[in-house]
Amino acid sequence: MILVTGGAGFIGSNFVLDWLARSDEPVVNLDALTYAGNLENLAGIEGDPRHLFRHGDIGDAALLGGLLAEFRPRAVLHFAAESHVDRSILGPGDFVRTNVTGTFTLLQAAQGYWSGLDRAAQQAFRFLHVSTDEVYGSLGPDDASFSETTPYQPNSPYSASKAASDHFVRAWHHTYGLPTLTTNCSNNYGPFQFPEKLIPLVIANALAGKPLPIYGDGLNIRDWLYVGDHCDAIRQVLERGRVGETYNIGGWNEQTNLSVVRLICSILDGLHPASPVVPHEQLISFVKDRPGHDRRYAIDARKIERELGWRPAETFETGIRKTVAWYLDNQAWVGRVQSGGYRDWISRQYGGLNGQASP
Ligand code: NAD
Ligand code: DAU
């Protein structure tokens, strides 16, 4: 089996759902259920014996040791993190605690477990660390895209904490021989993304007739990747990636924030003409910029294509249409996240959640 951390969050829950749709290999899912963790994302596999949910913190060394000894996974896939840049600006402490100290604690536990395996199991074992393109800093308009050898230049507390975690992963491979893999991915979008991030926030606000906040001049550029494509890339890196290597994952899809928001508005005009304010674009509202706002991210994803044959299957046009349609069909999910009701849902479904619940 595999051990996933952060599998109740946006990308982690998509990964677990995709994994179990393709394989019978069980998943142990360790998640602290912070504000970003939502077991409702996993309702589609409720009662599935291949999914073993464990409520707990990656900073809890005793819990990690117990889980690894009990389940003896062939791989650890590490998604758990504090992930929102704006929150890292307001409160960086949690980012250091989870992303840096938590990753360090997980590495130590994994290395202790791995060193006790027999030789064949040691060779087969993988620790796959899910990271971000933000560690490389900000690009100018004519700069080459981020490659795996671009120097690290993190600019926000979030990206600094992720950069630190990447360095620890590298060191655990180099020093102790732990068979690690690191992926640095661009901006994801798709189902189950918490509506604090640009795309789900804009969809939810547009449907409610609320302003669509655009930071600064709206010309910051991100390289958008559909979450299902990211999950596919991670599966391929896990199975065929070269130990100790990093792989950049991106969508070959650079867009300004303004063009993303305009496209969402026009899709909504067609799919949901009954919104309170149509055309939805009238809701666009320029607001104060994010402090230290990185101007441009772009991934050079040629290494993963060359070595593993991976390319994204979705174009931005197909992926964003699916995503807008998903949020339209799942307005109750958004409503429960916004009201905090998803927490009531979790305690109603899994009352007494104490580290042993399994949806
Ligand atoms: P998310 O915020 O939606 O989910 C994070 C999950 O981790 C939540 O379920 C949360 O409860 C859990 N978690 C947080 N702290 C924990 C702790 N101490 N112990 C155990 N669980 C904990 O994040 P996401 O967007 O799904 O991102 C997943 C990973 O992918 C992160 O490592 C992030 O840095 C990385 N990443 C995200 C993106 C993106 O666009 N969202 C892009 C590239 C890389
Ligand atoms: O690049 C990968 C990263 O992408 C991940 O590592 C992070 O976990 C993930 O949150 C994301 O970071 P960003 O800061 O790029 O994502 P966010 O959705 O917060 O913002 C996307 C862009 O939109 C960014 O330029 C800021 C802008 N923005 C964001 C919000 C929430 C707005 O203009 N208005 C908003 O209200």
Side-chain angles (χ1 to χ4, degrees), residues 10 74 102 111 116 122 133 135 141 144 157 216 221 229 273 331 343 348 350 353:
F10 162 49
R74 71 168 172 106
Q111 202 251 327
Q122 277 193 350
D133 60 357
V135 298
I221 290 173
D229 280 329
Q331 292 184 59
R343 299 211 160 269
R348 269 205 317 278
Y350 312 111
L353 191 66

Side-chain angles (χ1 to χ4, degrees), residues 248-277:
N248 282 0
I249 306 172
W252 297 109
N253 172 44
E254 290 184 54
Q255 305 272 346
T256 66
N257 294 336
L258 199 51
S259 75
V260 168
V261 174
R262 286 196 172 129
L263 180 57
I264 292 171
C265 287
S266 80
I267 294 171
L268 279 174
D269 290 347
L271 293 181
H272 205 261
S275 284
V277 180

Side-chain angles (χ1 to χ4, degrees), residues 33-281:
L33 297 180
T34 67
Y35 80 93
N38 185 351
L39 282 179
E40 196 179 338
N41 299 358
L42 300 160
I45 48 171
E46 192 172 341
D48 189 325
R50 298 170 304 165
H51 179 229
L52 299 139
F53 183 76
R54 292 294 182 270
H55 182 210
D57 197 306
I58 56 164
D60 182 341
L63 171 70
L64 294 174
L67 283 179
L68 290 164
E70 180 184 355
F71 293 109
R72 307 191 64 74
R74 71 168 172 106
V76 172
L77 288 98
H78 178 32
F79 294 87
E82 288 293 335
S83 70
H84 191 36
V85 174
D86 293 327
R87 284 183 191 253
S88 82
I89 295 167
L90 290 172
D94 283 345
F95 288 71
V96 175
R97 197 177 55 76
T98 285
N99 300 359
V100 185
T101 311
T103 300
F104 156 73
T105 310
L106 184 63
L107 281 165
Q108 274 201 311
Q111 202 251 327
Y113 162 70
W114 173 78
S115 60
L117 296 175
D118 65 38
R119 202 172 150 70
Q122 277 193 350
Q123 277 177 351
F125 184 81
R126 298 289 182 269
F127 182 104
L128 192 153
H129 174 57
V130 178
S131 193
T132 173
D133 60 357
E134 300 202 11
V135 298
Y136 298 120
S138 185
L139 294 169
D142 301 320
D143 288 344
S145 306
F146 301 133
S147 77
E148 288 78 0
T149 55
T150 301
Y152 274 33
Q153 251 178 1
N155 289 319
S156 72
Y158 164 68
S159 52
S161 69
K162 291 295 291 187
S165 68
D166 294 7
H167 292 321
F168 276 106
V169 171
R170 178 187 161 86
W172 256 246
H173 173 65
H174 190 81
T175 304
Y176 304 111
L178 187 69
T180 62
L181 297 157
T182 296
T183 56
N184 294 88
C185 187
S186 62
N187 286 61
N188 283 219
Y189 65 99
F192 301 118
Q193 189 167 29
F194 199 88
E196 64 185 352
K197 307 276 169 71
L198 179 71
I199 287 181
L201 178 86
V202 161
I203 299 170
N205 281 13
L207 290 173
K210 291 186 185 163
L212 312 180
I214 300 209
Y215 299 162
D217 62 6
L219 299 181
N220 301 67
I221 290 173
R222 297 292 182 266
D223 175 352
W224 294 96
L225 177 69
Y226 189 70
V227 65
D229 280 329
H230 185 191
C231 294
D232 183 40
I234 289 173
R235 286 193 304 273
Q236 302 209 29
V237 172
L238 175 67
E239 299 314 335
R240 290 182 293 119
R242 283 187 292 133
V243 165
E245 291 289 313
T246 67
Y247 291 89
N248 282 0
I249 306 172
W252 297 109
N253 172 44
E254 290 184 54
Q255 305 272 346
T256 66
N257 294 336
L258 199 51
S259 75
V260 168
V261 174
R262 286 196 172 129
L263 180 57
I264 292 171
C265 287
S266 80
I267 294 171
L268 279 174
D269 290 347
L271 293 181
H272 205 261
S275 284
V277 180
V278 177
H280 295 86
E281 220 178 287

